[in-house]
Amino acid sequence: MGTFTTGVKPGGAAGRRRAYLELGRVSNLPTVWSNVLAGATLAGARGLSARLAALAGALSLLYVGGMFLNDAADHEVDARERRDRPIPSGRVSAREAWGTGFALLLGGLVTLAVLAALAARSTDSGIELTGEWWRGVEAGGVLAALIILYDLQHKANPLSPLLMGLCRSMVYVVAALAMTGAVTLPVLGGAVALLAYLVGLTYAAKQETVAALRGVWPLAFLLVPLAYALPLIAVSSLAVIIFAAFTVWMLAALA
């Protein structure tokens, strides 16, 4: 097994870039950006801005760092079951994946701190970092801790879907605090709806490898975002279209 985790096979710069892209699961980054946009919008921020783009970049670093740590934590299991992954195949060492993952997490937190510093308030006595903006950095620290906890325990922890959902929900909270300095009720409602949806979705995904459903009640979590969005139907025709399309897509995916 050691031959799959310690050495790095030469593959040139292109092969190394591909391995890093696989480890970071960068194809999923648009979902992170949409979470950032949703959290900021629910908090009251309007329009695109350089600050919002930088925030999306910071949370992208946290996400990609978490994915590196995920593969690093799973490399022994992958060596038995998924030997084509970058670490078991020898394209990247486990030590490098650990180091890169933690470095990316740190980079994300530093970026959040810079954003907080840029929102500092000038006073007669100098620059004052207001508590509202600094809470975005603190929330980012909580998110980083949840990411690490999930990566280290998700294989054996029956509550891993909840942990993963909390990671995504915290993106809403971090975005709200970083953009407006406050977490509003719509932000909390959206975060809870997202958490419920991810718990239900993860349960449904795990049923793909079994002959029959172990139970249908966890699928009720998928109804929470629909209930959350239901009031919008009365005020927006566009909301009706989006609501119907999402409902049809979700039912098709479950089928």
Side-chain angles (χ1 to χ4, degrees), residues 22-62:
E22 287 183 41
L23 284 172
R25 294 168 175 81
V26 295
S27 60
N28 290 333
L29 281 178
T31 66
V32 178
W33 303 335
S34 66
N35 289 160
V36 172
L37 182 60
T41 302
L42 289 171
R46 293 293 179 265
L48 302 178
S49 64
R51 182 178 186 83
L52 184 63
L55 176 62
L59 288 165
S60 295
L61 290 174
L62 291 175

PDB file of all heavy atoms in Angstrom, residues 22-62:
ATOM      1  N   GLU A  22      -8.189  17.656 -10.167  1.00  0.00           N
ATOM      2  CA  GLU A  22      -8.988  16.536  -9.673  1.00  0.00           C
ATOM      3  C   GLU A  22      -9.110  16.582  -8.155  1.00  0.00           C
ATOM      4  O   GLU A  22     -10.203  16.383  -7.602  1.00  0.00           O
ATOM      5  CB  GLU A  22      -8.343  15.211 -10.086  1.00  0.00           C
ATOM      6  CG  GLU A  22      -8.481  14.876 -11.557  1.00  0.00           C
ATOM      7  CD  GLU A  22      -7.879  13.520 -11.877  1.00  0.00           C
ATOM      8  OE1 GLU A  22      -8.062  12.575 -11.063  1.00  0.00           O
ATOM      9  OE2 GLU A  22      -7.204  13.389 -12.908  1.00  0.00           O
ATOM     10  N   LEU A  23      -8.004  16.846  -7.475  1.00  0.00           N
ATOM     11  CA  LEU A  23      -8.030  16.901  -6.022  1.00  0.00           C
ATOM     12  C   LEU A  23      -8.941  18.019  -5.528  1.00  0.00           C
ATOM     13  O   LEU A  23      -9.675  17.857  -4.556  1.00  0.00           O
ATOM     14  CB  LEU A  23      -6.607  17.106  -5.472  1.00  0.00           C
ATOM     15  CG  LEU A  23      -5.685  15.899  -5.471  1.00  0.00           C
ATOM     16  CD1 LEU A  23      -4.274  16.306  -5.086  1.00  0.00           C
ATOM     17  CD2 LEU A  23      -6.192  14.836  -4.503  1.00  0.00           C
ATOM     18  N   GLY A  24      -8.893  19.162  -6.199  1.00  0.00           N
ATOM     19  CA  GLY A  24      -9.682  20.311  -5.770  1.00  0.00           C
ATOM     20  C   GLY A  24     -11.128  20.266  -6.200  1.00  0.00           C
ATOM     21  O   GLY A  24     -11.934  21.089  -5.747  1.00  0.00           O
ATOM     22  N   ARG A  25     -11.479  19.316  -7.086  1.00  0.00           N
ATOM     23  CA  ARG A  25     -12.850  19.211  -7.601  1.00  0.00           C
ATOM     24  C   ARG A  25     -13.372  20.582  -8.049  1.00  0.00           C
ATOM     25  O   ARG A  25     -14.466  21.033  -7.664  1.00  0.00           O
ATOM     26  CB  ARG A  25     -13.769  18.591  -6.546  1.00  0.00           C
ATOM     27  CG  ARG A  25     -13.421  17.133  -6.230  1.00  0.00           C
ATOM     28  CD  ARG A  25     -14.155  16.666  -4.984  1.00  0.00           C
ATOM     29  NE  ARG A  25     -13.951  15.241  -4.697  1.00  0.00           N
ATOM     30  CZ  ARG A  25     -12.876  14.731  -4.085  1.00  0.00           C
ATOM     31  NH1 ARG A  25     -11.897  15.540  -3.710  1.00  0.00           N
ATOM     32  NH2 ARG A  25     -12.780  13.442  -3.853  1.00  0.00           N
ATOM     33  N   VAL A  26     -12.579  21.231  -8.875  1.00  0.00           N
ATOM     34  CA  VAL A  26     -12.866  22.619  -9.251  1.00  0.00           C
ATOM     35  C   VAL A  26     -14.134  22.764 -10.087  1.00  0.00           C
ATOM     36  O   VAL A  26     -14.688  23.859 -10.188  1.00  0.00           O
ATOM     37  CB  VAL A  26     -11.660  23.229 -10.009  1.00  0.00           C
ATOM     38  CG1 VAL A  26     -10.451  23.321  -9.100  1.00  0.00           C
ATOM     39  CG2 VAL A  26     -11.334  22.404 -11.257  1.00  0.00           C
ATOM     40  N   SER A  27     -14.612  21.663 -10.662  1.00  0.00           N
ATOM     41  CA  SER A  27     -15.859  21.752 -11.438  1.00  0.00           C
ATOM     42  C   SER A  27     -17.044  22.107 -10.549  1.00  0.00           C
ATOM     43  O   SER A  27     -18.088  22.546 -11.047  1.00  0.00           O
ATOM     44  CB  SER A  27     -16.124  20.431 -12.165  1.00  0.00           C
ATOM     45  OG  SER A  27     -16.254  19.362 -11.243  1.00  0.00           O
ATOM     46  N   ASN A  28     -16.899  21.916  -9.242  1.00  0.00           N
ATOM     47  CA  ASN A  28     -17.979  22.243  -8.313  1.00  0.00           C
ATOM     48  C   ASN A  28     -17.923  23.686  -7.805  1.00  0.00           C
ATOM     49  O   ASN A  28     -18.821  24.100  -7.056  1.00  0.00           O
ATOM     50  CB  ASN A  28     -17.945  21.298  -7.103  1.00  0.00           C
ATOM     51  CG  ASN A  28     -18.350  19.884  -7.451  1.00  0.00           C
ATOM     52  OD1 ASN A  28     -19.100  19.659  -8.401  1.00  0.00           O
ATOM     53  ND2 ASN A  28     -17.855  18.924  -6.700  1.00  0.00           N
ATOM     54  N   LEU A  29     -16.912  24.442  -8.183  1.00  0.00           N
ATOM     55  CA  LEU A  29     -16.764  25.803  -7.669  1.00  0.00           C
ATOM     56  C   LEU A  29     -17.954  26.711  -7.986  1.00  0.00           C
ATOM     57  O   LEU A  29     -18.295  27.570  -7.163  1.00  0.00           O
ATOM     58  CB  LEU A  29     -15.469  26.430  -8.194  1.00  0.00           C
ATOM     59  CG  LEU A  29     -14.194  25.986  -7.478  1.00  0.00           C
ATOM     60  CD1 LEU A  29     -12.969  26.627  -8.112  1.00  0.00           C
ATOM     61  CD2 LEU A  29     -14.261  26.318  -5.993  1.00  0.00           C
ATOM     62  N   PRO A  30     -18.604  26.588  -9.161  1.00  0.00           N
ATOM     63  CA  PRO A  30     -19.789  27.446  -9.390  1.00  0.00           C
ATOM     64  C   PRO A  30     -20.860  27.301  -8.322  1.00  0.00           C
ATOM     65  O   PRO A  30     -21.586  28.258  -8.041  1.00  0.00           O
ATOM     66  CB  PRO A  30     -20.294  26.975 -10.761  1.00  0.00           C
ATOM     67  CG  PRO A  30     -19.053  26.523 -11.470  1.00  0.00           C
ATOM     68  CD  PRO A  30     -18.230  25.858 -10.394  1.00  0.00           C
ATOM     69  N   THR A  31     -20.966  26.129  -7.693  1.00  0.00           N
ATOM     70  CA  THR A  31     -21.943  25.981  -6.619  1.00  0.00           C
ATOM     71  C   THR A  31     -21.536  26.790  -5.395  1.00  0.00           C
ATOM     72  O   THR A  31     -22.387  27.298  -4.658  1.00  0.00           O
ATOM     73  CB  THR A  31     -22.124  24.506  -6.227  1.00  0.00           C
ATOM     74  OG1 THR A  31     -20.917  23.994  -5.647  1.00  0.00           O
ATOM     75  CG2 THR A  31     -22.477  23.670  -7.440  1.00  0.00           C
ATOM     76  N   VAL A  32     -20.235  26.918  -5.165  1.00  0.00           N
ATOM     77  CA  VAL A  32     -19.752  27.771  -4.070  1.00  0.00           C
ATOM     78  C   VAL A  32     -20.075  29.225  -4.373  1.00  0.00           C
ATOM     79  O   VAL A  32     -20.550  29.970  -3.506  1.00  0.00           O
ATOM     80  CB  VAL A  32     -18.233  27.578  -3.870  1.00  0.00           C
ATOM     81  CG1 VAL A  32     -17.717  28.511  -2.764  1.00  0.00           C
ATOM     82  CG2 VAL A  32     -17.912  26.136  -3.529  1.00  0.00           C
ATOM     83  N   TRP A  33     -19.836  29.647  -5.601  1.00  0.00           N
ATOM     84  CA  TRP A  33     -20.090  31.045  -5.968  1.00  0.00           C
ATOM     85  C   TRP A  33     -21.575  31.372  -5.860  1.00  0.00           C
ATOM     86  O   TRP A  33     -21.939  32.470  -5.420  1.00  0.00           O
ATOM     87  CB  TRP A  33     -19.590  31.300  -7.390  1.00  0.00           C
ATOM     88  CG  TRP A  33     -18.145  30.975  -7.579  1.00  0.00           C
ATOM     89  CD1 TRP A  33     -17.163  30.957  -6.617  1.00  0.00           C
ATOM     90  CD2 TRP A  33     -17.497  30.579  -8.796  1.00  0.00           C
ATOM     91  NE1 TRP A  33     -15.949  30.587  -7.158  1.00  0.00           N
ATOM     92  CE2 TRP A  33     -16.123  30.351  -8.493  1.00  0.00           C
ATOM     93  CE3 TRP A  33     -17.930  30.401 -10.115  1.00  0.00           C
ATOM     94  CZ2 TRP A  33     -15.208  29.967  -9.464  1.00  0.00           C
ATOM     95  CZ3 TRP A  33     -17.012  30.007 -11.075  1.00  0.00           C
ATOM     96  CH2 TRP A  33     -15.667  29.800 -10.753  1.00  0.00           C
ATOM     97  N   SER A  34     -22.433  30.429  -6.241  1.00  0.00           N
ATOM     98  CA  SER A  34     -23.872  30.679  -6.132  1.00  0.00           C
ATOM     99  C   SER A  34     -24.290  30.775  -4.670  1.00  0.00           C
ATOM    100  O   SER A  34     -25.172  31.571  -4.314  1.00  0.00           O
ATOM    101  CB  SER A  34     -24.669  29.596  -6.862  1.00  0.00           C
ATOM    102  OG  SER A  34     -24.505  28.331  -6.235  1.00  0.00           O
ATOM    103  N   ASN A  35     -23.653  29.982  -3.794  1.00  0.00           N
ATOM    104  CA  ASN A  35     -23.942  30.083  -2.366  1.00  0.00           C
ATOM    105  C   ASN A  35     -23.516  31.436  -1.810  1.00  0.00           C
ATOM    106  O   ASN A  35     -24.218  32.043  -0.990  1.00  0.00           O
ATOM    107  CB  ASN A  35     -23.218  28.981  -1.596  1.00  0.00           C
ATOM    108  CG  ASN A  35     -23.789  27.598  -1.835  1.00  0.00           C
ATOM    109  OD1 ASN A  35     -23.118  26.600  -1.601  1.00  0.00           O
ATOM    110  ND2 ASN A  35     -25.022  27.510  -2.321  1.00  0.00           N
ATOM    111  N   VAL A  36     -22.362  31.917  -2.244  1.00  0.00           N
ATOM    112  CA  VAL A  36     -21.891  33.237  -1.814  1.00  0.00           C
ATOM    113  C   VAL A  36     -22.862  34.323  -2.265  1.00  0.00           C
ATOM    114  O   VAL A  36     -23.247  35.206  -1.481  1.00  0.00           O
ATOM    115  CB  VAL A  36     -20.479  33.517  -2.377  1.00  0.00           C
ATOM    116  CG1 VAL A  36     -20.065  34.969  -2.100  1.00  0.00           C
ATOM    117  CG2 VAL A  36     -19.462  32.561  -1.774  1.00  0.00           C
ATOM    118  N   LEU A  37     -23.274  34.257  -3.523  1.00  0.00           N
ATOM    119  CA  LEU A  37     -24.205  35.249  -4.057  1.00  0.00           C
ATOM    120  C   LEU A  37     -25.537  35.199  -3.317  1.00  0.00           C
ATOM    121  O   LEU A  37     -26.117  36.241  -2.984  1.00  0.00           O
ATOM    122  CB  LEU A  37     -24.412  34.999  -5.549  1.00  0.00           C
ATOM    123  CG  LEU A  37     -25.335  35.977  -6.286  1.00  0.00           C
ATOM    124  CD1 LEU A  37     -24.804  37.393  -6.197  1.00  0.00           C
ATOM    125  CD2 LEU A  37     -25.483  35.556  -7.749  1.00  0.00           C
ATOM    126  N   ALA A  38     -26.018  33.987  -3.040  1.00  0.00           N
ATOM    127  CA  ALA A  38     -27.295  33.849  -2.340  1.00  0.00           C
ATOM    128  C   ALA A  38     -27.203  34.412  -0.926  1.00  0.00           C
ATOM    129  O   ALA A  38     -28.087  35.157  -0.481  1.00  0.00           O
ATOM    130  CB  ALA A  38     -27.715  32.384  -2.298  1.00  0.00           C
ATOM    131  N   GLY A  39     -26.145  34.080  -0.203  1.00  0.00           N
ATOM    132  CA  GLY A  39     -25.987  34.575   1.155  1.00  0.00           C
ATOM    133  C   GLY A  39     -25.885  36.084   1.217  1.00  0.00           C
ATOM    134  O   GLY A  39     -26.502  36.731   2.071  1.00  0.00           O
ATOM    135  N   ALA A  40     -25.111  36.660   0.285  1.00  0.00           N
ATOM    136  CA  ALA A  40     -24.953  38.111   0.257  1.00  0.00           C
ATOM    137  C   ALA A  40     -26.259  38.797  -0.109  1.00  0.00           C
ATOM    138  O   ALA A  40     -26.628  39.825   0.485  1.00  0.00           O
ATOM    139  CB  ALA A  40     -23.857  38.491  -0.734  1.00  0.00           C
ATOM    140  N   THR A  41     -26.975  38.243  -1.072  1.00  0.00           N
ATOM    141  CA  THR A  41     -28.244  38.839  -1.510  1.00  0.00           C
ATOM    142  C   THR A  41     -29.292  38.774  -0.408  1.00  0.00           C
ATOM    143  O   THR A  41     -30.011  39.747  -0.154  1.00  0.00           O
ATOM    144  CB  THR A  41     -28.760  38.128  -2.773  1.00  0.00           C
ATOM    145  OG1 THR A  41     -27.771  38.231  -3.803  1.00  0.00           O
ATOM    146  CG2 THR A  41     -30.053  38.765  -3.253  1.00  0.00           C
ATOM    147  N   LEU A  42     -29.383  37.631   0.278  1.00  0.00           N
ATOM    148  CA  LEU A  42     -30.338  37.498   1.365  1.00  0.00           C
ATOM    149  C   LEU A  42     -30.023  38.457   2.513  1.00  0.00           C
ATOM    150  O   LEU A  42     -30.924  38.871   3.249  1.00  0.00           O
ATOM    151  CB  LEU A  42     -30.352  36.058   1.885  1.00  0.00           C
ATOM    152  CG  LEU A  42     -30.980  35.011   0.963  1.00  0.00           C
ATOM    153  CD1 LEU A  42     -30.731  33.604   1.503  1.00  0.00           C
ATOM    154  CD2 LEU A  42     -32.476  35.260   0.803  1.00  0.00           C
ATOM    155  N   ALA A  43     -28.746  38.818   2.647  1.00  0.00           N
ATOM    156  CA  ALA A  43     -28.351  39.754   3.705  1.00  0.00           C
ATOM    157  C   ALA A  43     -28.623  41.202   3.327  1.00  0.00           C
ATOM    158  O   ALA A  43     -28.499  42.089   4.165  1.00  0.00           O
ATOM    159  CB  ALA A  43     -26.871  39.578   4.031  1.00  0.00           C
ATOM    160  N   GLY A  44     -28.942  41.450   2.039  1.00  0.00           N
ATOM    161  CA  GLY A  44     -29.258  42.805   1.618  1.00  0.00           C
ATOM    162  C   GLY A  44     -28.268  43.426   0.661  1.00  0.00           C
ATOM    163  O   GLY A  44     -28.480  44.545   0.189  1.00  0.00           O
ATOM    164  N   ALA A  45     -27.182  42.723   0.354  1.00  0.00           N
ATOM    165  CA  ALA A  45     -26.215  43.256  -0.609  1.00  0.00           C
ATOM    166  C   ALA A  45     -26.815  43.195  -2.004  1.00  0.00           C
ATOM    167  O   ALA A  45     -27.518  42.244  -2.346  1.00  0.00           O
ATOM    168  CB  ALA A  45     -24.917  42.445  -0.559  1.00  0.00           C
ATOM    169  N   ARG A  46     -26.539  44.194  -2.807  1.00  0.00           N
ATOM    170  CA  ARG A  46     -27.109  44.266  -4.147  1.00  0.00           C
ATOM    171  C   ARG A  46     -26.008  44.481  -5.184  1.00  0.00           C
ATOM    172  O   ARG A  46     -25.105  45.293  -4.988  1.00  0.00           O
ATOM    173  CB  ARG A  46     -28.114  45.422  -4.247  1.00  0.00           C
ATOM    174  CG  ARG A  46     -29.365  45.220  -3.398  1.00  0.00           C
ATOM    175  CD  ARG A  46     -30.194  44.063  -3.933  1.00  0.00           C
ATOM    176  NE  ARG A  46     -31.394  43.818  -3.133  1.00  0.00           N
ATOM    177  CZ  ARG A  46     -31.466  42.933  -2.159  1.00  0.00           C
ATOM    178  NH1 ARG A  46     -30.396  42.212  -1.840  1.00  0.00           N
ATOM    179  NH2 ARG A  46     -32.590  42.747  -1.487  1.00  0.00           N
ATOM    180  N   GLY A  47     -26.109  43.746  -6.284  1.00  0.00           N
ATOM    181  CA  GLY A  47     -25.185  43.940  -7.397  1.00  0.00           C
ATOM    182  C   GLY A  47     -23.852  43.251  -7.186  1.00  0.00           C
ATOM    183  O   GLY A  47     -23.500  42.818  -6.083  1.00  0.00           O
ATOM    184  N   LEU A  48     -23.122  43.125  -8.284  1.00  0.00           N
ATOM    185  CA  LEU A  48     -21.794  42.529  -8.246  1.00  0.00           C
ATOM    186  C   LEU A  48     -20.766  43.600  -7.909  1.00  0.00           C
ATOM    187  O   LEU A  48     -20.929  44.767  -8.244  1.00  0.00           O
ATOM    188  CB  LEU A  48     -21.464  41.889  -9.589  1.00  0.00           C
ATOM    189  CG  LEU A  48     -22.439  40.808 -10.073  1.00  0.00           C
ATOM    190  CD1 LEU A  48     -22.012  40.283 -11.445  1.00  0.00           C
ATOM    191  CD2 LEU A  48     -22.518  39.660  -9.073  1.00  0.00           C
ATOM    192  N   SER A  49     -19.705  43.200  -7.245  1.00  0.00           N
ATOM    193  CA  SER A  49     -18.675  44.153  -6.839  1.00  0.00           C
ATOM    194  C   SER A  49     -17.355  43.421  -6.699  1.00  0.00           C
ATOM    195  O   SER A  49     -17.308  42.179  -6.653  1.00  0.00           O
ATOM    196  CB  SER A  49     -19.044  44.821  -5.512  1.00  0.00           C
ATOM    197  OG  SER A  49     -19.082  43.860  -4.466  1.00  0.00           O
ATOM    198  N   ALA A  50     -16.265  44.209  -6.615  1.00  0.00           N
ATOM    199  CA  ALA A  50     -14.950  43.612  -6.410  1.00  0.00           C
ATOM    200  C   ALA A  50     -14.897  42.899  -5.068  1.00  0.00           C
ATOM    201  O   ALA A  50     -14.249  41.853  -4.928  1.00  0.00           O
ATOM    202  CB  ALA A  50     -13.870  44.689  -6.485  1.00  0.00           C
ATOM    203  N   ARG A  51     -15.577  43.453  -4.072  1.00  0.00           N
ATOM    204  CA  ARG A  51     -15.597  42.821  -2.752  1.00  0.00           C
ATOM    205  C   ARG A  51     -16.275  41.448  -2.806  1.00  0.00           C
ATOM    206  O   ARG A  51     -15.789  40.478  -2.218  1.00  0.00           O
ATOM    207  CB  ARG A  51     -16.307  43.728  -1.750  1.00  0.00           C
ATOM    208  CG  ARG A  51     -16.318  43.167  -0.338  1.00  0.00           C
ATOM    209  CD  ARG A  51     -16.998  44.113   0.643  1.00  0.00           C
ATOM    210  NE  ARG A  51     -16.863  43.591   1.991  1.00  0.00           N
ATOM    211  CZ  ARG A  51     -15.792  43.758   2.759  1.00  0.00           C
ATOM    212  NH1 ARG A  51     -14.765  44.463   2.310  1.00  0.00           N
ATOM    213  NH2 ARG A  51     -15.728  43.236   3.968  1.00  0.00           N
ATOM    214  N   LEU A  52     -17.388  41.365  -3.534  1.00  0.00           N
ATOM    215  CA  LEU A  52     -18.096  40.095  -3.660  1.00  0.00           C
ATOM    216  C   LEU A  52     -17.233  39.078  -4.401  1.00  0.00           C
ATOM    217  O   LEU A  52     -17.193  37.900  -4.039  1.00  0.00           O
ATOM    218  CB  LEU A  52     -19.417  40.303  -4.388  1.00  0.00           C
ATOM    219  CG  LEU A  52     -20.326  39.073  -4.515  1.00  0.00           C
ATOM    220  CD1 LEU A  52     -20.759  38.581  -3.136  1.00  0.00           C
ATOM    221  CD2 LEU A  52     -21.554  39.396  -5.366  1.00  0.00           C
ATOM    222  N   ALA A  53     -16.526  39.518  -5.429  1.00  0.00           N
ATOM    223  CA  ALA A  53     -15.650  38.614  -6.177  1.00  0.00           C
ATOM    224  C   ALA A  53     -14.515  38.104  -5.289  1.00  0.00           C
ATOM    225  O   ALA A  53     -14.163  36.919  -5.326  1.00  0.00           O
ATOM    226  CB  ALA A  53     -15.090  39.330  -7.399  1.00  0.00           C
ATOM    227  N   ALA A  54     -13.938  39.013  -4.485  1.00  0.00           N
ATOM    228  CA  ALA A  54     -12.866  38.597  -3.574  1.00  0.00           C
ATOM    229  C   ALA A  54     -13.390  37.621  -2.529  1.00  0.00           C
ATOM    230  O   ALA A  54     -12.701  36.667  -2.153  1.00  0.00           O
ATOM    231  CB  ALA A  54     -12.257  39.827  -2.900  1.00  0.00           C
ATOM    232  N   LEU A  55     -14.612  37.861  -2.063  1.00  0.00           N
ATOM    233  CA  LEU A  55     -15.223  36.955  -1.097  1.00  0.00           C
ATOM    234  C   LEU A  55     -15.425  35.573  -1.705  1.00  0.00           C
ATOM    235  O   LEU A  55     -15.156  34.550  -1.067  1.00  0.00           O
ATOM    236  CB  LEU A  55     -16.553  37.535  -0.628  1.00  0.00           C
ATOM    237  CG  LEU A  55     -17.379  36.668   0.326  1.00  0.00           C
ATOM    238  CD1 LEU A  55     -16.620  36.424   1.624  1.00  0.00           C
ATOM    239  CD2 LEU A  55     -18.720  37.335   0.610  1.00  0.00           C
ATOM    240  N   ALA A  56     -15.915  35.538  -2.940  1.00  0.00           N
ATOM    241  CA  ALA A  56     -16.077  34.260  -3.635  1.00  0.00           C
ATOM    242  C   ALA A  56     -14.727  33.560  -3.777  1.00  0.00           C
ATOM    243  O   ALA A  56     -14.637  32.330  -3.646  1.00  0.00           O
ATOM    244  CB  ALA A  56     -16.718  34.478  -5.002  1.00  0.00           C
ATOM    245  N   GLY A  57     -13.682  34.331  -4.026  1.00  0.00           N
ATOM    246  CA  GLY A  57     -12.344  33.752  -4.115  1.00  0.00           C
ATOM    247  C   GLY A  57     -11.885  33.156  -2.795  1.00  0.00           C
ATOM    248  O   GLY A  57     -11.312  32.059  -2.758  1.00  0.00           O
ATOM    249  N   ALA A  58     -12.156  33.863  -1.696  1.00  0.00           N
ATOM    250  CA  ALA A  58     -11.760  33.372  -0.376  1.00  0.00           C
ATOM    251  C   ALA A  58     -12.453  32.065  -0.045  1.00  0.00           C
ATOM    252  O   ALA A  58     -11.823  31.099   0.421  1.00  0.00           O
ATOM    253  CB  ALA A  58     -12.086  34.430   0.681  1.00  0.00           C
ATOM    254  N   LEU A  59     -13.750  32.004  -0.303  1.00  0.00           N
ATOM    255  CA  LEU A  59     -14.500  30.788   0.009  1.00  0.00           C
ATOM    256  C   LEU A  59     -14.179  29.666  -0.975  1.00  0.00           C
ATOM    257  O   LEU A  59     -14.302  28.486  -0.640  1.00  0.00           O
ATOM    258  CB  LEU A  59     -15.988  31.098   0.036  1.00  0.00           C
ATOM    259  CG  LEU A  59     -16.377  31.933   1.270  1.00  0.00           C
ATOM    260  CD1 LEU A  59     -17.751  32.544   1.127  1.00  0.00           C
ATOM    261  CD2 LEU A  59     -16.304  31.094   2.524  1.00  0.00           C
ATOM    262  N   SER A  60     -13.750  30.022  -2.178  1.00  0.00           N
ATOM    263  CA  SER A  60     -13.276  29.006  -3.119  1.00  0.00           C
ATOM    264  C   SER A  60     -12.000  28.350  -2.590  1.00  0.00           C
ATOM    265  O   SER A  60     -11.820  27.128  -2.718  1.00  0.00           O
ATOM    266  CB  SER A  60     -13.013  29.635  -4.489  1.00  0.00           C
ATOM    267  OG  SER A  60     -14.203  30.109  -5.075  1.00  0.00           O
ATOM    268  N   LEU A  61     -11.125  29.150  -1.992  1.00  0.00           N
ATOM    269  CA  LEU A  61      -9.903  28.600  -1.403  1.00  0.00           C
ATOM    270  C   LEU A  61     -10.244  27.633  -0.269  1.00  0.00           C
ATOM    271  O   LEU A  61      -9.632  26.561  -0.147  1.00  0.00           O
ATOM    272  CB  LEU A  61      -9.016  29.731  -0.882  1.00  0.00           C
ATOM    273  CG  LEU A  61      -8.347  30.609  -1.930  1.00  0.00           C
ATOM    274  CD1 LEU A  61      -7.615  31.773  -1.263  1.00  0.00           C
ATOM    275  CD2 LEU A  61      -7.360  29.799  -2.774  1.00  0.00           C
ATOM    276  N   LEU A  62     -11.222  28.003   0.553  1.00  0.00           N
ATOM    277  CA  LEU A  62     -11.631  27.113   1.636  1.00  0.00           C
ATOM    278  C   LEU A  62     -12.206  25.809   1.080  1.00  0.00           C
ATOM    279  O   LEU A  62     -11.914  24.716   1.588  1.00  0.00           O
ATOM    280  CB  LEU A  62     -12.671  27.807   2.517  1.00  0.00           C
ATOM    281  CG  LEU A  62     -12.173  28.977   3.372  1.00  0.00           C
ATOM    282  CD1 LEU A  62     -13.331  29.633   4.100  1.00  0.00           C
ATOM    283  CD2 LEU A  62     -11.121  28.513   4.373  1.00  0.00           C
TER     284      LEU A  62
END
